[in-house]
Amino acid sequence: MGLMGGTWTFENRIYVNSSGTAVGPKEAEGPLGQTFDISHEDLHCGEDNWELAERRLMEQAIDQCLTKSNLQTDQVDFFIAGDLLNQNVTSNYVARHLQIPTICMFGACSTSMETVAIGSQLVDSGFANKIVAATSSHNATAERQFRYPTEYGGQKPDTATATVTGAGAVLISQEYSDIVITSATIGKVVDYGLKDPFDMGSAMAPAAADTIQRHLQDLNRTTNDYDMFITGDLSGIGSPILKDLLKEEGIDIDEKHFDCGLMIYRPDQNVFAGGSGCACSAVVTFSHIFNMLRSKEVDRVFVVATGALLSPTMIQQKESIPTIAHGVVFERAERGVHH
């Protein structure tokens, strides 16, 4: 593995062998609805409470991922996962069921690419052969924990985002497949002093800008080397800020920037500024973006998942919101380009 700044370039070919996605009703009704493996008609997903529903989503995403690769859980070396709930209870309770050695991680909504980056690094360095990386979020569990339960009926500003109900899982190994992971840039914690938990897009945009800028600098690349720069959940508020911040550094991604939070819903779905949550970047990337790579619509994409590292306690204490963004490069394998 090569290291330049905060960017890893993988010595070996690290492949995405399969992926699985499961989503809730609003995601299924959105423009990408047909690309997801499993969709549910109600937020309870057939369970008794919201937390059990989120757990089921993650279990289903992992099951789909393993089924596609014709693997059993005992053939997987490590399970790397994280979610938005306190103490990562979704991931840990799923791990209790899977009985795979587990590395639990928290990067808020950046966890999807954080787990993929760490999983790729372990496979590249020879410490693992097969890894499943997974993450999840649920609109009702996130609202209950971070803001107000939906039953409260509180009004929200237009800057608010809707937490995506869903889960995504991916299998990583050195066995040849059609999508290869070539590098990853680990984010720095960035804090511009913003304090509004109903405006995550503005808070997270600087972290995304920092990761993209450092990635291009570390690898001595320009925007011409990529077909798409994909952010996790900057939404309609954060996306323009990201573009402006990068333009100040002489980097123009206007024509190549896409945000998962804007792709997963239609504007008429009452989602305020767009989608967010751990599952936002996971389900869009592991379905729609992977489909684009397989169909040769794109050759190389940089997926930058953004996370707001806040807790309800810190917000009540009037603390600002630290943020982070982790990025992973996915390429079409048959393109034959390495690094």
Side-chain angles (χ1 to χ4, degrees):
M1 184 184 75
L3 173 64
M4 286 161 284
T7 298
W8 295 328
T9 56
F10 302 117
E11 306 275 330
N12 300 288
R13 303 279 279 180
I14 309 302
Y15 294 100
V16 173
N17 294 119
S18 60
S19 60
T21 52
V23 299
K26 190 167 279 190
E27 295 72 24
E29 294 164 6
L32 304 181
Q34 297 301 311
T35 68
F36 305 125
D37 294 315
I38 293 175
S39 56
H40 292 270
E41 294 181 357
D42 71 274
L43 279 176
H44 276 99
C45 305
E47 300 291 343
D48 291 338
N49 60 52
W50 307 130
E51 287 74 19
L52 283 172
E54 181 173 339
R55 204 179 304 171
R56 184 173 189 189
L57 288 165
M58 185 182 279
E59 287 175 347
Q60 288 179 324
I62 294 165
D63 184 61
Q64 287 289 309
C65 180
L66 291 177
T67 299
K68 289 177 189 176
S69 285
N70 197 26
L71 287 178
Q72 303 298 316
T73 53
D74 61 4
Q75 295 172 278
V76 178
D77 297 306
F78 295 102
F79 173 54
I80 306 180
D83 54 88
L84 287 178
L85 300 188
N86 288 339
Q87 288 77 49
N88 271 336
V89 290
T90 303
S91 303
N92 284 317
Y93 280 64
V94 168
R96 176 182 68 180
H97 164 71
L98 290 175
Q99 287 298 294
I100 302 171
T102 299
I103 301 169
C104 207
M105 310 191 74
F106 180 81
C109 301
S110 71
T111 305
S112 65
M113 292 305 119
E114 182 181 27
T115 54
V116 170
I118 296 297
S120 300
Q121 195 254 18
L122 285 172
V123 172
D124 188 52
S125 58
F127 288 106
N129 294 316
K130 292 182 173 64
I131 280 180
V132 168
T135 191
S136 67
S137 57
H138 189 292
N139 188 278
T141 64
E143 290 298 310
R144 171 146 63 193
Q145 179 168 299
F146 287 100
R147 289 176 278 267
Y148 304 108
T150 47
E151 295 88 345
Y152 178 78
Q155 298 296 301
K156 292 183 180 179
D158 290 339
T159 56
T161 50
T163 303
V164 168
T165 298
V170 64
L171 177 70
I172 303 165
S173 82
Q174 287 191 42
E175 292 182 14
Y176 182 82
S177 186
D178 43 14
I179 295 171
V180 62
I181 299 168
T182 52
S183 61
T185 298
I186 302 302
K188 293 180 180 178
V189 174
V190 177
D191 189 342
Y192 271 35
L194 300 176
K195 298 182 178 182
D196 184 0
F198 288 104
D199 182 8
M200 297 297 190
S202 296
M204 294 188 295
D210 178 74
T211 297
I212 292 171
Q213 182 185 356
R214 286 191 299 111
H215 176 81
L216 294 174
Q217 187 175 335
D218 289 347
L219 297 183
N220 194 25
R221 289 179 178 170
T222 70
T223 56
N224 293 330
D225 293 309
Y226 295 86
D227 296 305
M228 299 172 78
F229 290 87
I230 301 157
T231 48
D233 32 25
L234 295 184
S235 70
I237 305 298
S239 293
I241 297 172
L242 167 67
K243 294 174 188 175
D244 288 344
L245 288 170
L246 287 174
K247 276 181 184 168
E248 290 175 9
E249 303 298 327
I251 301 168
D252 186 350
I253 64 168
D254 278 14
E255 301 301 316
K256 296 184 175 184
H257 174 255
F258 299 85
D259 188 77
C260 297
L262 296 176
M263 287 191 275
I264 194 166
Y265 298 126
R266 298 187 313 274
D268 64 356
Q269 286 187 278
N270 297 319
V271 290
F272 303 98
S276 63
C278 282
C280 186
S281 54
V283 299
V284 172
T285 301
F286 299 165
S287 59
H288 177 60
I289 303 303
F290 283 1
N291 288 344
M292 292 182 73
L293 283 162
R294 291 189 182 106
S295 64
K296 304 181 182 180
E297 289 178 67
V298 292
D299 287 328
R300 179 191 279 161
V301 299
F302 187 37
V303 181
V304 182
T306 48
L309 307 173
L310 80 162
S311 77
T313 304
M314 294 297 101
I315 293 301
Q316 289 162 6
Q317 293 175 2
K318 310 300 182 190
E319 288 272 5
S320 57
I321 302 172
T323 64
I324 196 163
H326 299 294
V328 174
V329 175
F330 298 96
E331 300 186 25
R332 188 165 62 82
E334 63 189 55
R335 202 170 158 237
V337 175
H338 192 31
H339 299 338

